[in-house]
Amino acid sequence: MKKKSRAVFLDRDGTINKMVFNTDHGILDSPLSSGQLELLSGASRALSLLKKGGFLLVLISNQPGVAKGKMKMGDFLEIDRRLDFLLSKSGTRFDAKFYCLHHPDAKVKSLRRRCLCRKPKPGLILRAARELGINLAESYMVGDGITDIQAGLSAGCKTVFIGNFKPELWNYLKGGKKPDIIAKSLLEAARSII
Ligand SMILES: [Zn+2]
């Protein structure tokens, strides 16, 4: 039997690309157009390192913007292509990308769903593992949100939190489990994983 691959599952907004300040709501939000997509410093380098380290790179991202009526499907697709383009400039790319476009309160009816793929549910990770033959126990879920860590734990991965991990966040993790790695940036995370 073919040996299963190891993967790094990655969140997108706030992990690979910068969040965008939404002046209407005074909050940080996901990019809503390709022009707003900007990679975080060191992100492509981190992905190259992980790839050289023998990991498959798999994007795992909730993108409810279309469902919520904040952007059109065309904008979503353009952002996705722009991400590939920016990464290709430093010679790296994802092996696969899995998006959840659903939202339970979506304005767009076709996307209104209590799905099994929206993080913190592990559906996207489990699907990626099935389709790509990934050994989950030897793989990592990396993200800047508590839902990334929850999804990774539910899928049976190791987990990496990017940012300031406040101890009270442990209460939201199964059995008060801590992320395996806490890092300031994706580059620092990649170095710890390797
Ligand atoms: Zn979904």
Side-chain angles (χ1 to χ4, degrees):
M1 210 177 101
K2 193 172 161 265
K3 194 173 174 289
K4 286 198 167 185
S5 311
R6 298 202 298 166
V8 178
F9 301 106
L10 297 126
D11 168 52
R12 198 188 79 182
D13 306 324
T15 297
I16 291 166
N17 56 275
K18 294 182 186 170
M19 299 294 281
V20 178
F21 187 70
N22 180 321
T23 44
D24 286 343
H25 298 98
I27 52 161
L28 289 173
D29 209 343
S30 302
L32 296 174
S33 68
S34 61
Q36 291 181 333
L37 188 78
E38 226 183 300
L39 295 181
L40 282 159
S41 138
S44 349
R45 178 113 191 277
L47 295 184
S48 302
L49 277 179
L50 291 169
K51 188 157 263 195
K52 273 191 209 124
F55 289 93
L56 290 178
L57 302 179
V58 182
L59 185 74
I60 300 285
S61 174
N62 292 351
Q63 290 298 327
V66 178
K68 290 179 175 173
K70 288 186 181 176
M71 63 176 159
K72 298 277 179 224
M73 189 58 91
D75 300 316
F76 163 75
L77 294 171
E78 213 176 283
I79 293 170
D80 181 58
R81 277 194 300 270
R82 175 87 186 151
L83 178 63
D84 286 344
F85 171 72
L86 292 177
L87 293 175
S88 74
K89 290 209 275 187
S90 45
T92 193
R93 64 174 184 86
F94 284 106
D95 294 283
K97 290 183 283 183
F98 292 85
Y99 286 108
C100 166
L101 299 180
H102 310 118
H103 193 274
D105 309 315
K107 281 189 189 159
V108 177
K109 211 171 160 197
S110 58
L111 295 171
R112 192 184 306 148
R113 203 173 302 168
R114 287 196 185 283
C115 62
L116 296 172
C117 49
R118 182 174 161 78
K119 293 179 284 185
K121 295 211 174 114
L124 289 183
I125 300 176
L126 298 177
R127 194 175 125 209
R130 265 196 317 272
E131 290 183 11
L132 304 170
I134 291 166
N135 178 338
L136 287 168
E138 287 183 23
S139 299
Y140 293 81
M141 174 70 216
V142 183
D144 67 327
I146 195 74
T147 52
D148 298 313
I149 306 303
Q150 289 168 322
L153 286 174
S154 297
C157 302
K158 295 178 213 177
T159 58
V160 183
F161 184 85
I162 298 187
N164 290 317
F165 192 84
K166 301 195 180 87
E168 55 268 32
L169 289 177
W170 290 346
N171 300 330
Y172 298 96
L173 296 175
K174 242 192 237 162
K177 232 182 149 200
K178 220 176 125 176
D180 295 282
I181 297 170
I182 296 172
K184 285 195 184 68
S185 66
L186 186 55
L187 190 54
E188 193 186 301
R191 288 184 177 133
S192 299
I193 289 171
I194 288 165

